[in-house]
Each structure stands twice: as structure tokens, then as C-alpha cells.
Amino acid sequence: KGYRVARFVERSQAPGGVQVVQVPDSVEGIWDSAGQAAMALLAGRDVLVDLSLLRPVGSPVRGSGGTSSGPASFAVEIFDNFAIWAGLGGAEHAGPVATLRYVFAPTLRAIRQGGTRRGAGMATISITHPDVADFITAKDLERERDEGDISTFNISVLVTDDFMRRESQTRGGVLWEIAQHAWATGEPGLIYIDRINEHNPMRGALGDIKSTNPCG
């Protein structure tokens, strides 16, 4: 069934500060609806989500040749996790790891890449970011169990030449922490961002490389 973009999300303000979101049967509509729901939660309103328009699980998806993961999958993976993220304060307060855990990882779980398998992604953070320590431990088994699964993503730290020189001279602890966690769980990886871009033949035309293929 086709719906024009202008009709994708029908919203109304119900009594008592409750926002009603009717979720349309399209990828764009689902994520627009999820974003609207998160904004309503951040504004202190409760949200009612109507999934009646979504096609049933296993239904064909035109263009990909695959099938839909169904309303229940979107309810749990997208709307429930977006609500957790909003409860943590959203973009202003939740931080990069929580945003990865409750926004991007659930999105890849719900979307069947090529219509047949769940998506795969790579998430990176600069070694200079204030939350790099939180990122290094993001896929520790205890955190995965207690806070939620982000196995749809590989994670890597973007390290610079300056950082590596300082670590070798001062025997700082950050590189050791990365190594310990990589030994325990296989992640995070390291991406030597300066080295990659020194040999990037398309740097002048397309800019710096920021990551690698997660399945490389």
C-alpha cells in the first residue's frame, strides 16, 4: 500500500499530555515516527504508538527482495529503545555510547540488510573524545548483558600519530586499556586514521577516510 510522504505520520494531542503516533508502513515513516516519539518523551509527554498500518512479519518488501521483520520487531527494537535513549536525556545528555546502544544498534537489528539478514555497521570514536573510556568498555560482556546488545556494530577507536607517540614515550594507560578489552571481547579495534589518510589516493577529491568496512 502506498502512502504519500505528507500523510506518513498522523499525530494528535490526546488529553493528559499524551501524544498519539500512527506509524506508517515505510522505512522513512517508521523512523520519522520514532523521532517524533522520542521528542515527545523528552518534552515530558507520554506516547501512544499505533502499529496497525505496518505489514505483518514475513511480508515481501519491494525493492529488496526480502521480507518485513514485522510490527513487534519495530515496537521492541525501535520505539522501546528510542524511549530508553530519550529517558537518558537524548542527544544532549545520553552520550555517544548510549546513542549507539539505543538508537543505531536497534535500527540495524530491525532492518534486514538486502531484505535477508540484519544490518552490520562500524562505529568509531576519536581517541581525543571525552567519552573514549566509556566507548572502550561499551562491548564488555557485563555491559552488554545489563545495558543492551550492540552486536550489530563493530567498534573501533580512531588513533592519531600524536597519540601513538605519546603512548610509546609515556607508557600511558589508554592503549593498555584498549588492548585488555580487545583481548577479552575482540573489541574495540584501532584505526590508524593518520596512516590511512596519508595513503588515501582520493583524499583531495573526497576528503578523509573516517572508518573501515565492518566486514573487512
Side-chain angles (χ1 to χ4, degrees):
K1 296 180 180 180
Y3 296 90
R4 300 183 69 84
V5 175
R7 296 180 56 199
F8 268 172
V9 182
E10 298 178 13
R11 295 182 290 272
S12 63
Q13 291 299 318
V18 176
Q19 182 156 330
V20 179
V21 179
Q22 186 175 56
V23 184
D25 190 28
S26 72
V27 172
E28 296 88 349
I30 290 167
W31 271 269
D32 181 54
S33 300
Q36 294 294 332
M39 293 302 294
L41 291 166
L42 287 167
R45 296 191 294 276
D46 291 330
V47 175
L48 284 173
V49 177
D50 180 15
L51 303 166
S52 300
L53 295 178
L54 295 185
R55 71 195 74 186
V57 62
S59 299
V61 176
R62 283 186 298 175
S64 70
T67 59
S68 170
S69 54
S73 171
F74 288 110
V76 173
E77 296 290 12
I78 304 304
F79 289 93
D80 194 41
N81 279 295
F82 273 48
I84 294 172
W85 177 76
L88 294 172
E92 292 187 7
H93 302 290
V97 172
T99 301
L100 175 64
R101 194 179 304 278
Y102 299 117
V103 176
F104 291 101
T107 295
L108 288 192
R109 286 197 296 270
I111 288 292
R112 293 179 179 176
Q113 196 169 41
T116 57
R117 66 178 180 89
R118 71 179 190 175
M122 169 69 83
T124 63
I125 199 169
S126 171
I127 192 64
T128 62
H129 195 285
D131 286 354
V132 68
D134 186 35
F135 187 81
I136 290 168
T137 66
K139 294 188 78 170
D140 284 6
L141 299 181
E142 296 81 4
R143 291 191 67 182
E144 289 273 83
R145 182 191 64 231
D146 297 339
E147 299 174 32
D149 173 31
I150 53 175
S151 64
T152 46
F153 276 86
N154 293 340
I155 64 171
S156 289
V157 180
L158 303 175
V159 296
T160 62
D161 288 348
D162 285 343
F163 167 76
M164 295 302 293
R165 279 193 292 267
R166 286 197 305 271
E167 287 287 299
S168 64
Q169 293 166 3
T170 64
R171 298 185 182 276
V174 179
L175 194 59
W176 176 253
E177 284 296 313
I178 292 172
Q180 288 292 98
H181 288 280
W183 178 84
T185 67
E187 298 190 71
L190 291 180
I191 295 178
Y192 300 97
I193 196 70
D194 290 338
R195 298 296 93 228
I196 286 176
N197 282 299
E198 181 183 1
H199 301 285
N200 175 7
M202 300 301 293
R203 191 175 193 180
L206 301 177
D208 286 354
I209 293 172
K210 299 292 187 182
S211 187
T212 64
N213 189 319
C215 302

